[in-house]
Amino acid sequence: MAKVLVIAEHLDGRLNASTARTVSAAQALSADAIDVAVLAADPAAVAAEAAKIAGVARVLAVANAANAQPVAQVLAPQVAKLADGYSHVFVPSTTFGKDLAPCVAALLGVAQVSDLMTVEGSHEFKRPIYAGNAIVTVRAPADRTVVATVRTASWPEAATGGSAPVETVSVDVALPTHTRHLGLAAAKSDRPDLQSARRVVSGGRGVGSKENFEVIYKLADRLGAAVGASRAAVDAGYVPNELQVGQTGKIIAPELYVAVGISGAIQHLTGIKDAGTIVAINKDGDAPIFEIADIGLVGDLFTLLPEIEAALG
């Protein structure tokens, strides 16, 4: 009998789409109940969003001033306490989830299951290894709570239209004081979030410079897309590392992925293999990116991108 607790990811009072994808993974278990926990200083708005996800039985709203920022060491004892009575605890395999899940697993004394991509049984899952070149089956002990991160790129967002009740829950647990939030350093952007965007335009080493990256931003804005980059572009200083896509960056699954000046190293392809349509633009017709691209354009990106923008009207 599976009973799943999904930990909601949210920021600035908005529920992240990764939560709905994690609920999809929980639904694959054919669980008897799927509850979503929202931990925040004021969880009301996020809890109301979570309640609309189809398949959610209850939303547990945990209000605590200490939860104003998603500090894993502060959230983990509360999640571990909430986990009592649940067979599974699922979190998205995002920066948030990768930070939180190991702490929760350690407190519960279990091994974490990482990057869950398919459900084969109540305690049997598949996950990628070797940069996605192999898929391994993992079996978790049936008599222990399963703590898992869900590879959100492998799951669709659960439908909306639900109306789960929201319950205010008080978690009586000692919170650590050795870790505290000092501040958040992040680039400000009006563009969609890279991990949840339906369209992404990424640039690579072939763009040539930080100044030249403006052509990527322009095309992204025309398409209403998020901006990404290869590790080579990040290492060269063209863009900040929060835009990196790939094995050591963000794993994404947009409906449209446009790779500009990206050769297609295996580490980058790992981050985009679940994308719907992949468009590659590169002057090297033998670049590995063309082997997985649905549409390929061979030519100078500085000639092709203006032509594409003109065609967009």
Side-chain angles (χ1 to χ4, degrees):
M1 185 176 74
K3 187 178 181 183
V4 187
L5 180 65
V6 172
I7 309 304
E9 178 177 4
H10 56 91
L11 184 65
D12 298 330
R14 298 289 303 275
L15 187 69
N16 191 289
S18 64
T19 304
R21 293 178 183 270
T22 304
V23 170
S24 283
Q27 290 172 339
L29 284 166
S30 299
D32 296 286
I34 300 172
D35 295 344
V36 175
V38 178
L39 293 85
D42 181 4
V46 177
E49 282 190 75
K52 296 177 182 177
I53 301 175
V56 172
R58 292 186 305 163
V59 177
L60 308 179
V62 182
N64 191 322
N67 297 336
Q69 301 296 334
V71 179
Q73 287 71 22
V74 174
L75 299 182
Q78 300 172 76
V79 173
K81 185 77 171 180
L82 287 171
D84 185 33
Y86 289 92
S87 59
H88 299 69
V89 178
F90 280 3
V91 296
S93 187
T94 57
T95 303
F96 165 79
K98 290 176 181 178
D99 192 30
L100 176 61
C103 299
V104 175
L107 290 172
L108 294 178
V110 299
Q112 174 190 313
V113 178
S114 300
D115 289 330
L116 184 157
M117 61 185 300
T118 67
V119 172
E120 303 298 308
S122 63
H123 289 73
E124 188 172 307
F125 315 96
K126 287 187 177 179
R127 56 156 303 201
I129 59 173
Y130 301 130
N133 287 307
I135 306 299
V136 65
T137 299
V138 178
R139 292 185 182 90
D143 60 343
R144 308 296 294 274
T145 301
V146 176
V147 177
T149 60
V150 172
R151 190 177 189 270
T152 53
S154 298
W155 300 90
E157 290 183 35
T160 56
S163 56
V166 177
E167 299 182 13
T168 300
V169 177
S170 177
V171 180
D172 185 16
V173 62
L175 300 182
T177 58
H178 66 280
T179 303
R180 65 185 189 277
H181 181 269
L182 296 181
L184 175 64
K188 297 292 183 181
S189 175
D190 294 328
R191 298 183 181 90
D193 174 67
L194 178 57
Q195 281 197 289
S196 58
R198 300 186 185 278
R199 302 172 183 172
V200 175
V201 179
S202 282
R205 191 198 309 272
V207 177
S209 70
K210 181 178 182 178
E211 292 71 26
N212 287 348
F213 222 84
E214 282 300 320
V215 300
I216 304 298
Y217 292 127
K218 287 179 63 178
L219 180 59
D221 290 341
R222 292 297 297 273
L223 293 174
V227 172
S230 67
R231 177 167 182 170
V234 171
D235 288 348
Y238 301 169
V239 292
N241 61 7
E242 60 257 32
L243 299 187
Q244 184 174 320
V245 174
Q247 182 182 8
T248 53
K250 292 180 169 66
I251 308 296
I252 60 175
E255 295 172 1
L256 172 67
Y257 186 77
V258 183
V260 182
I262 295 176
S263 63
I266 185 61
Q267 290 84 357
H268 186 78
L269 300 185
T270 296
I272 63 169
K273 60 172 51 183
D274 292 308
T277 299
I278 299 175
V279 178
I281 301 173
N282 200 298
K283 65 181 180 181
D284 179 6
D286 294 324
I289 190 75
F290 288 118
E291 295 179 12
I292 58 99
D294 299 287
I295 300 171
L297 296 175
V298 178
D300 188 323
L301 68 92
F302 298 105
T303 300
L304 293 175
L305 292 193
E307 292 179 359
I308 292 173
E309 286 189 52
L312 291 173

